[in-house]
Amino acid sequence: MTRADLVITDIGDLATMASGPVPRVGPAMRELGRISRAALAIEGGQFVFVGTEAQCRREVRLRAGGSRWSAGGGTVVPGFVDPHTHVLFAGDRAAEIDLKIGGASYADIARQGGGLFQTVLATRHATTSVLLESTEARLRRMVAMGTTACEVKSGYALTPAGELRLLSLIPILARDTGLRLVATFLGAHAIPPEYSDRPDEYVSALISKALPSIARDHLADFCDAFCEPGFFTVGQTERLLVAARTAGMGLKVHADEFVRSGGASLAARLGCRSAEHLLESSEGDRRVLASAGVTAVLLPLTPFASFAARASPGREMVDAGVPVAVGSDFSPNSWVESMPLVLSHSVYSARLTPAEALTAATVNAAHAIGLSGEAGTIAVGRSADFVAFDIPSAEHIPYRFGLTPTRVYRRGNRVPPAGDRTA
Ligand code: ZN
């Protein structure tokens, strides 16, 4: 008999995401590892039983003082994994909406010293307590919407020392929010004004002044770079990523977002874990990503938030056999705290099926940030991170825009609903 301190019963549709290879590719992205009339049992923050209600009644005993919750015939899925966020910054850019409506692009606004550079100034000047408090509030709203693990990129200091400061805050945020956070060094987010005519020197400064400290103090798991005209060339991106790999980091690229920059083919050539955005990637790019096994991290709300005509090429990527993950791209440019909303756009903009979108936001997203085996699935022995919704099946998560979870659990503990710190 299995002992448990928490039992969840009356789950109408349980999507475990636990069967199949990782990452999922092609038709395997539609395999949800579903159990109907299901139950879960948790002990010490880990799943100790995953199966049907009938099995649970036979095999599981609730400990004295343990708790039981009926999901009311609703749906339970793994905690969402958000594989791409720029959530660590100061200030906001709500005032940019008018500029965007007037036709200014992200790159136009950046060239005028606004946009990203406005956030860089605010972040450089913010005290550590302001940065921690504002970021923690965002992370708490994200977890209330079902995100239980996410990536956090640096990238709004754009000096070696400032970037190290941002990375050093990520373990504090993880401790204070209970979220599983993966740190990515994005010192090459943009060329800072001080180096506007010397981008190669900035890349050299990142390599000589930031990478050694990151490696020594284990400040980041991944290194990323923004490979686009006006940002970093393919050659500069490659120089930084090769040095980061030597320093023991995994590799990512912001690739082919505004134009076909060559970032996707660079990601394939270097064997990067992921290439991200990829709005302008070609059929040939998709072929090389698929054959290199590079995960495409798509951010379907970013073109929406930029009034761009193009949509993320989700359907094309899946059909080409590229492993696909989806994320929020939470930044001051696209303020997205809700993974259920990301799922809706993954379906209605990027044309993934609801099952593919759920795979992309859980098991494949975990793979994209090196958390396979730790996040994105519901299985015995795994951390009990899961989300319950009052809906008849998992397909309704993207189908119903703006859906809010009924309950979110992280390590077997119930997360307070959004805006409620006392629950
Ligand atoms: Zn991004």
Side-chain angles (χ1 to χ4, degrees):
M1 192 64 75
T2 301
R3 299 278 173 181
D5 51 34
L6 171 65
V7 174
I8 312 288
T9 58
D10 200 13
I11 302 169
D13 184 23
L14 174 65
T16 67
M17 319 304 295
S19 50
V22 178
R24 306 278 158 75
V25 175
M29 283 189 68
R30 300 186 188 187
E31 176 49 60
L32 301 187
R34 245 178 178 143
I35 304 172
S36 301
R37 301 189 58 79
L40 295 169
I42 292 113
E43 169 87 354
Q46 291 190 329
F47 294 114
V48 290
F49 171 87
V50 178
T52 65
E53 280 207 300
Q55 284 174 304
C56 186
R57 276 193 294 274
R58 287 195 301 272
E59 297 175 18
V60 176
R61 279 286 164 274
L62 188 65
R63 285 187 187 281
S67 57
R68 187 183 291 273
W69 180 61
S70 166
T75 293
V76 170
V77 301
F80 298 117
V81 180
D82 188 342
H84 184 132
T85 84
H86 305 259
V87 70
L88 179 47
F89 61 87
D92 71 77
R93 303 216 301 265
E96 268 177 28
I97 299 170
D98 289 16
L99 293 175
K100 290 188 204 169
I101 288 173
S105 70
Y106 178 92
D108 292 338
I109 294 170
R111 266 195 296 274
Q112 292 163 23
L116 187 144
F117 293 109
Q118 189 186 318
T119 302
V120 168
L121 280 180
T123 304
R124 283 178 179 179
H125 291 122
T127 63
T128 295
S129 64
V130 163
L131 273 172
L132 284 173
E133 279 166 30
S134 58
T135 305
E136 186 179 325
R138 294 173 204 131
L139 290 169
R140 286 192 189 282
R141 290 191 295 267
M142 289 164 68
V143 72
M145 294 302 288
T147 300
T148 55
C150 81
E151 187 228 33
V152 178
K153 298 180 195 288
S154 69
Y156 289 116
L158 302 185
T159 65
E163 293 290 313
L164 294 174
R165 173 197 181 212
L166 292 178
L167 291 172
S168 73
L169 302 182
I170 295 172
I172 301 169
L173 291 164
R175 185 196 67 203
D176 292 351
T177 61
L179 268 165
R180 180 79 163 85
L181 301 182
V182 170
T184 293
F185 172 55
L186 183 58
H189 194 184
I191 299 160
E194 299 84 354
Y195 285 90
S196 58
D197 54 348
R198 301 172 291 145
D200 286 309
E201 283 182 39
Y202 181 58
V203 172
S204 298
L206 294 177
I207 291 171
S208 65
K209 298 193 175 126
L211 291 184
S213 300
I214 294 169
R216 187 189 65 229
D217 299 334
H218 305 290
L219 291 175
D221 302 290
F222 290 96
C223 181
D224 191 354
F226 209 102
C227 184
E228 292 280 342
F231 293 79
F232 296 90
T233 64
V234 169
Q236 289 159 349
T237 303
E238 179 166 3
R239 192 155 69 89
L240 174 65
L241 293 184
V242 167
R245 181 165 61 193
T246 305
M249 301 162 76
L251 307 183
K252 295 175 167 289
V253 192
H254 272 67
D256 306 289
E257 180 181 359
F258 306 131
V259 297
R260 190 164 170 256
S261 64
S265 47
L266 175 67
R269 187 151 52 79
L270 293 182
C272 291
R273 175 60 64 109
S274 60
E276 325 216 337
H277 285 286
L278 300 166
L279 275 178
E280 299 293 338
S281 58
S282 68
E283 203 181 322
D285 292 328
R286 292 192 279 279
R287 269 200 301 276
V288 297
L289 290 173
S291 63
V294 176
T295 297
V297 175
L298 304 181
L299 299 315
L301 273 153
T302 304
F304 181 73
S306 303
F307 300 94
R310 297 197 70 130
S312 285
R315 182 78 267 128
E316 295 87 336
M317 288 285 176
V318 172
D319 290 348
V322 181
V324 171
V326 293
S328 66
D329 198 21
F330 189 157
S331 80
N333 183 54
S334 52
W335 193 292
V336 182
E337 295 168 348
S338 166
M339 282 300 281
L341 193 61
V342 171
L343 262 76
S344 292
H345 280 260
S346 300
V347 169
Y348 290 99
S349 301
R351 293 184 297 123
L352 300 183
T353 68
E356 289 165 349
L358 188 59
T359 297
T362 55
V363 64
N364 278 11
H367 172 75
I369 55 173
L371 292 184
S372 290
E374 294 178 58
T377 59
I378 291 175
V380 169
R382 296 280 165 85
S383 178
D385 303 345
F386 59 98
V387 191
F389 292 94
D390 183 20
I391 48 174
S393 72
E395 283 77 7
H396 282 245
I397 301 171
Y399 175 52
R400 303 188 189 195
F401 283 88
L403 192 67
T404 303
T406 325
R407 289 192 176 195
V408 181
Y409 286 84
R410 165 79 182 128
R411 291 203 194 94
N413 295 310
R414 190 179 172 200
V415 172
D420 184 353
R421 301 238 188 146
T422 61

